[in-house]
């Protein structure tokens, strides 16, 4: 194969050819085929080479593109192709020497410059193909958010979502066709949307305001954030458990016996690279886990309805395993024999039978064994007294 990449990915702005630098122009002039969505092809006008429309859905175009190997090909993408763009998806299908990329200014950069915002202190979200609930962890007064939206109708949906969450006082700046001749900026309040229509491509700059509840940043969020039938790792124990699980970037968690999903959800809220699979044999609870995750803006939680260890077979291997209840000798034996060496395990025991099991496992395998007891002040007649919850024995170990 030639050392010269056959594919060039060019980041295009709303100003079309006018905004392209020398490297992008050279690649276009030398291209045999230019492949892009119809909007991008319209922005560059007539070209002296063959042009092909990228199909919808996007994935259908990848095999077509790969079939063009051996020709000089340009793919047009929006702004910076590697920031919520097509670049990373294409690169996964190509060897490093096959492609190069010439980025343009991203929508986030353009929006931050229009708003006068410090980009490194602004939350940037791609919501053109993601639910608005992904905003939820970021909603707190004075937070600044730039969000890419799928179309003009999504602006009204955004205003309604913010209002329902108690942040209707948020200021919205709708930025259409940034950097091009059709650029328009409209300032609105989330709870005072008008019937005005907006045209794609667009993003919205949000200055969050209002009296809605902000989701705390630390582990051990209040129990009332989670819908539950009572099967939940309570707040203080959950905070201690997340500390014991010790999330690291790109870790994958197995939450065995998910209950309300609180452990898996808080795990995922810790860092955007984390993954989690929750295993729950009760179908109603499994559905509740999914609903809790969606409401709190976590869409990376895989929920498997089934009992361990059978439900664990064939699943993506974890780096960390949590068992909040239901640990048995059979399950522990399966985990010991099936998981990779070094997998971290945290098990919480409530019953005497499970406590005996983890105490014996600690004797055999080592690790850390602690006992957690929590008491809360509650009314006792006309006065107050301590009400103690069931003690928890927590075992942490690297298998």
């Amino acid at each position: 194969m030639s050392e010269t990449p056959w594919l060039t990915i060019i980041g295009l702005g709303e100003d079309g050819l006018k905004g392209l630098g020398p490297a992008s122009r050279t690649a276009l002039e030398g291209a045999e085929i230019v492949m892009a969505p119809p909007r991008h092809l319209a922005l560059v006008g007539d070209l002296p080479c063959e042009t092909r429309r990228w199909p919808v859905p996007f994935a259908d175009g990848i095999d077509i593109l790969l079939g063009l190997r051996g020709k000089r090909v340009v793919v047009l993408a929006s702004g910076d192709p590697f920031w919520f763009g097509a670049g990373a998806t294409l690169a996964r299908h190509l060897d490093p020497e096959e492609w190069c990329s010439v980025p343009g200014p991203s929508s986030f950069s353009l929006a931050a410059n229009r708003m006068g915002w410090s980009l490194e202190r602004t939350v940037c979200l791609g919501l053109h193909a993601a639910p608005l609930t992904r905003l939820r962890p970021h909603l707190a007064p004075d937070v600044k958010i730039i969000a890419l939206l799928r179309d003009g109708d999504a602006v009204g949906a955004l205003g309604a979502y913010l209002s329902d969450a108690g942040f209707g006082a948020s200021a919205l700046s709708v930025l259409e066709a940034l950097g091009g001749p059709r650029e328009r900026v409209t300032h609105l309040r989330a709870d005072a949307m008008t019937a005005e229509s907006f045209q794609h491509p667009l993003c919205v700059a949000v200055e969050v305001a209002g009296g809605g509840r902000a989701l705390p940043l630390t582990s051990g969020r209040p129990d009332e954030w989670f819908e539950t039938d009572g099967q939940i790792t309570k707040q203080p124990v959950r905070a201690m458990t997340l500390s014991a699980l010790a999330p690291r970037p790109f870790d994958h968690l197995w939450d065995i016996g998910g209950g309300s999903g609180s452990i898996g959800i808080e795990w995922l809220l810790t860092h955007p690279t984390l993954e989690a699979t929750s295993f729950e044999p009760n179908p109603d609870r499994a559905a509740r886990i999914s609903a809790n995750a969606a409401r709190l803006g976590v869409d990376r939680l895989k929920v498997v309805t089934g009992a361990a260890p059978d439900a664990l077979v064939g699943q993506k291997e974890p780096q960390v395993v949590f068992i909040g209840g239901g640990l048995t000798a059979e399950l522990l034996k399966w985990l010991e024999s099936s998981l990779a060496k070094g997998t971290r395990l945290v098990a919480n025991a409530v019953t005497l039978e499970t406590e005996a099991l983890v105490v014996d496992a600690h004797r055999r395998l080592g690790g850390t064994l602690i006992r957690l007891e929590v008491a809360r002040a509650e009314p006792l007649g006309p006065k107050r007294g301590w009400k103690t919850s069931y003690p928890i024995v927590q075992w942490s170990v690297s298998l």
Side-chain angles (χ1 to χ4, degrees):
M1 182 178 290
S2 169
E3 292 184 0
T4 302
W6 63 270
L7 174 64
T8 301
I9 306 169
I10 294 178
L12 186 68
E14 286 296 306
D15 50 358
L17 291 174
K18 181 180 178 182
L20 295 180
S24 297
R25 288 179 174 272
T26 298
L28 272 177
E29 290 167 1
E32 297 176 81
I33 300 173
V34 172
M35 189 171 175
R39 183 176 69 83
H40 295 73
L41 292 174
L43 287 171
V44 296
D46 293 332
L47 296 173
C49 62
E50 179 185 349
T51 60
R52 297 192 183 184
R53 292 188 174 191
W54 197 284
V56 177
F58 181 84
D60 290 351
I62 294 175
D63 285 340
I64 298 173
L65 175 66
L66 298 181
L68 301 178
R69 279 190 174 100
K71 299 182 180 294
R72 296 187 304 278
V73 181
V74 165
V75 167
L76 299 178
S78 295
D80 184 344
F82 285 85
W83 201 354
F84 293 106
T89 301
L90 297 180
R92 287 197 294 269
H93 296 272
L94 299 162
D95 293 328
E97 66 273 8
E98 290 189 273
W99 63 274
C100 64
S101 177
V102 187
S106 70
S107 296
F108 299 112
S109 295
L110 292 171
N113 277 270
R114 295 296 184 276
M115 299 300 298
W117 291 358
S118 174
L119 192 56
E120 70 272 12
R121 295 176 62 85
T122 300
V123 177
C124 297
L125 298 173
L127 302 181
H128 43 309
L132 292 174
T133 51
R134 192 173 286 183
L135 287 161
R136 194 61 189 87
H138 307 287
L139 295 182
D142 301 324
V143 170
K144 291 181 171 61
I145 301 171
I146 298 174
L148 308 182
L149 298 182
R150 67 179 185 275
D151 55 31
D153 292 341
V155 176
L158 173 62
Y161 178 78
L162 292 170
S163 298
D164 290 343
F167 296 98
S170 299
L172 309 185
S173 296
V174 184
L175 305 117
E176 301 171 76
L178 281 173
R182 297 188 300 111
E183 178 177 315
R184 184 175 68 140
V185 179
T186 305
H187 302 289
L188 302 164
R189 186 171 143 137
D191 58 3
M193 303 296 293
T194 66
E196 188 171 0
S197 62
F198 302 98
Q199 300 299 315
H200 180 77
L202 58 81
C203 63
V204 179
V206 183
E207 296 181 81
V208 182
R213 294 182 66 198
L215 188 64
L217 295 176
T218 57
S219 298
R221 278 83 174 179
D223 294 344
E224 57 264 26
W225 280 99
F226 304 93
E227 292 184 4
T228 176
D229 61 0
Q231 189 74 14
I232 184 174
T233 303
K234 297 295 177 62
Q235 179 184 11
V237 175
R238 193 180 333 119
M240 293 289 290
T241 299
L242 264 295
S243 178
L245 291 171
R248 304 169 187 170
F250 299 100
D251 273 352
H252 179 204
L253 171 74
W254 277 2
D255 179 9
I256 300 176
S260 65
S262 61
I263 290 290
I265 291 169
E266 291 219 37
W267 166 276
L268 291 172
L269 287 170
T270 304
H271 197 268
T273 65
L274 295 174
E275 297 180 345
T277 303
S278 182
F279 300 91
E280 173 52 57
N282 184 308
D284 291 338
R285 287 176 178 165
R288 192 175 291 113
I289 292 170
S290 296
N292 280 333
R295 190 179 65 259
L296 294 177
V298 172
D299 53 7
R300 306 186 316 281
L301 180 62
K302 179 180 180 181
V303 180
V304 176
T305 305
D310 292 345
L312 310 178
V313 178
Q315 300 293 333
K316 180 179 177 180
E317 286 198 358
Q319 285 71 51
V320 189
V321 175
F322 171 65
I323 306 172
L327 179 64
T328 63
E330 177 194 12
L331 175 56
L332 182 56
K333 181 179 179 181
W334 189 94
L335 294 171
E336 288 183 57
S337 62
S338 302
L339 296 180
K341 183 177 176 58
T343 300
R344 309 195 302 280
L345 170 66
V346 176
N348 288 354
V350 179
T351 67
L352 291 174
E353 290 78 9
T354 310
E355 181 177 332
L357 182 60
V358 299
V359 168
D360 181 67
H362 175 255
R363 178 188 58 79
R364 291 188 301 107
L365 301 173
T368 301
L369 195 64
I370 61 174
R371 181 181 170 97
L372 307 174
E373 296 189 59
V374 178
R376 297 179 184 272
E378 294 192 1
L380 184 61
K383 299 183 180 181
R384 293 173 298 155
W386 292 109
K387 182 175 182 181
T388 305
S389 302
Y390 286 115
I392 303 290
V393 175
Q394 185 178 91
W395 176 49
S396 306
V397 69
S398 291
L399 297 176

